[in-house]
């Protein structure tokens, strides 16, 4: 026959074990994929080298325009090491995307072709795309700018653990 303290201890142990097994399987795990998007209404800024800007002095392309008028930035800090796929499609005219680390553009997706043949929509291929490896905690800014396009656009990104 068990003593009362042994029975109480055994019951408490069984309760703790059942609570631990009921804990969600994802508790404490990092997400494997992040997906997000952002939109903007921006004026065109078709900056060309002939304007006299020395290479490397100003930001590239339409990102040299005025923030929230010609370009918009979306900060992103990865919570784990992984691969970023940043893209935009379905727009009219010419839009560009960049990834900045501080003041330095570390990637660009300047597609010079103006796509009017592919109708906008979920099945349209990306017209601007960047794929880039990022490290946990690396602070970057995803930039979308209007080179010479219709005023509205949406950019999306996926970040997958590596």
């Amino acid at each position: 026959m068990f003593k009362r303290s042994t029975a109480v201890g055994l019951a408490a142990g069984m309760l703790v074990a059942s609570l631990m097994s009921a804990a969600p399987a994802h508790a404490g795990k990092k997400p494997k994929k992040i997906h997000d998007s952002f939109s903007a209404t921006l004026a065109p800024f078709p900056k060309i080298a002939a304007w006299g800007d020395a290479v490397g002095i100003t930001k590239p392309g339409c990102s040299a325009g005025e923030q929230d008028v010609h370009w918009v930035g979306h900060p992103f800090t990865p919570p784990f090491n992984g691969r970023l796929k940043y893209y935009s499609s379905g727009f009219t005219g010419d839009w560009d995307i960049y990834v900045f680390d501080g003041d330095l553009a570390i990637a660009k997706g300047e597609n010079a072709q103006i796509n009017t043949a592919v109708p906008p929509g979920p099945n349209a291929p990306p017209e601007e795309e960047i794929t880039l490896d990022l490290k946990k905690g690396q602070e970057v800014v995803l930039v979308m700018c209007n080179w010479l396009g219709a005023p509205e656009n949406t950019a999306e990104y996926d970040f997958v653990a590596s």
Side-chain angles (χ1 to χ4, degrees):
M1 186 162 170
F2 289 103
K3 289 187 176 184
R4 184 177 212 167
S5 62
T6 305
V8 169
L10 184 58
M14 291 174 62
L15 177 63
V16 168
S18 69
L19 289 175
M20 288 180 69
S21 66
H26 66 280
K29 290 188 178 179
K30 300 179 220 172
K32 298 292 181 190
K33 182 177 180 180
I34 297 170
H35 174 82
D36 202 358
S37 65
F38 59 99
S39 299
T41 301
L42 302 169
F45 188 75
K47 177 189 157 238
I48 56 175
W51 288 8
D53 289 333
V55 175
I57 301 291
T58 62
K59 290 184 175 182
C62 51
S63 69
E66 188 175 334
Q67 183 175 2
D68 297 326
V69 174
H70 305 110
W71 66 272
V72 64
H74 182 81
F76 178 68
T77 304
F80 44 83
N81 292 339
R83 175 159 286 195
L84 172 73
K85 178 181 175 188
Y86 173 40
Y87 54 98
S88 183
S89 63
F91 53 83
T92 301
D94 192 358
W95 283 71
D96 293 335
I97 59 174
Y98 298 89
V99 177
F100 279 85
D101 188 342
D103 289 333
L104 179 66
I106 58 172
K108 61 183 176 177
E110 297 176 283
N111 183 352
Q113 180 180 6
I114 296 176
N115 190 346
T116 56
V118 178
N123 297 324
E127 296 168 6
E128 297 287 334
E129 185 175 322
I130 295 170
T131 302
L132 180 67
D133 290 330
L134 297 174
K135 294 181 180 180
K136 177 182 178 178
Q138 182 179 359
E139 296 177 3
V140 297
V141 178
L142 310 179
V143 171
M144 171 174 59
C145 64
N146 187 348
W147 175 265
L148 192 58
E152 296 179 0
N153 194 13
T154 298
E156 298 181 64
Y157 62 94
D158 299 309
F159 189 73
V160 181
S162 58

